[in-house]
Amino acid sequence: DDTGGPAIAFNAVFEITRSAFLAAHPWDFSIKTATLVKLSGPTPAEEYTGVYALPVGYLAMVRSDNDRLDGFSVLNDGLHANQVPIINYHYDVPIDEFTATAVAAFTVLMAWNICIPVKGSNTMYANLERKYERLLKEARQTSRASRRARKPVSIEEARFTAGVAFDASHPSAF
């Protein structure tokens, strides 16, 4: 049943939590590079000469030591800049394209986000916070190592890695 309390809490925060999780960390599996296309409609902000379309699925810019863009602003209508931007960015990745350790960390993050509304447990909240921090560290290390070998992972494998049976439709998952 996906209409009960846990499912409602889960569905209310899933998309925003996934997007924030992707954009907040330098996941190798969620970074792309793109040369942006200049838009003809919008007027650029005062200090810029052009407005460029952000890629489909764009979540956030990735800053690095070899940035190829000096001075820009990301506004509602696109990226404002004085040169054709080539950007590294986080894109919206479906969860089945996460690494196993990233899915594990995300699964615990979701449980952490909804454990108080669903279970009212401060102890569970603290335990999940510690587990999330441990899994996040492991996932970030795995992400760096995944540049050489990428293998799709099943949700079941990721749940096993996390050490939790997380099923939002089942109250015992919390």
Side-chain angles (χ1 to χ4, degrees):
D1 177 19
D2 61 353
T3 59
I8 291 169
F10 180 91
N11 291 332
V13 299
F14 179 81
E15 287 300 326
I16 190 133
T17 302
R18 185 178 56 82
S19 295
F21 181 78
L22 288 168
H25 304 285
W27 306 117
D28 291 341
F29 60 85
S30 75
I31 296 174
K32 287 186 176 182
T33 300
T35 302
L36 303 187
V37 176
K38 191 172 187 177
L39 298 170
S40 59
T43 303
E46 187 175 310
E47 64 269 27
Y48 302 110
T49 58
V51 179
Y52 299 83
L54 292 169
V56 173
Y58 168 91
L59 293 174
M61 295 281 284
V62 176
R63 302 299 291 175
S64 67
D65 293 339
N66 63 349
D67 279 338
R68 294 165 263 182
L69 183 61
D70 293 322
F72 65 91
S73 290
V74 177
L75 303 173
N76 288 340
D77 56 353
L79 187 140
H80 295 237
N82 290 323
Q83 64 195 58
V84 175
I86 300 172
I87 64 167
N88 294 323
Y89 67 99
H90 288 284
Y91 69 100
D92 196 12
V93 178
I95 199 161
D96 61 350
E97 293 180 23
F98 285 27
T99 62
T101 53
V103 173
F106 178 73
T107 301
V108 173
L109 176 62
M110 286 297 298
W112 180 30
N113 281 338
I114 64 176
C115 74
I116 290 181
V118 171
K119 289 292 192 182
S121 173
N122 289 325
T123 302
M124 184 180 288
Y125 182 86
N127 290 339
L128 287 168
E129 180 179 22
R130 284 190 297 278
K131 189 168 197 164
Y132 171 69
E133 292 300 328
R134 181 182 55 78
L135 286 169
L136 180 62
K137 182 178 179 181
E138 184 180 329
R140 292 178 81 177
Q141 290 169 344
T142 302
S143 181
R144 286 191 292 273
S146 74
R147 290 180 188 153
R148 291 177 214 86
R150 296 203 175 153
K151 176 186 167 205
V153 62
S154 70
I155 296 296
E156 290 74 25
E157 180 184 354
R159 286 183 184 145
F160 177 77
T161 303
V164 293
F166 187 74
D167 178 354
S169 64
H170 195 279
S172 68
F174 305 98

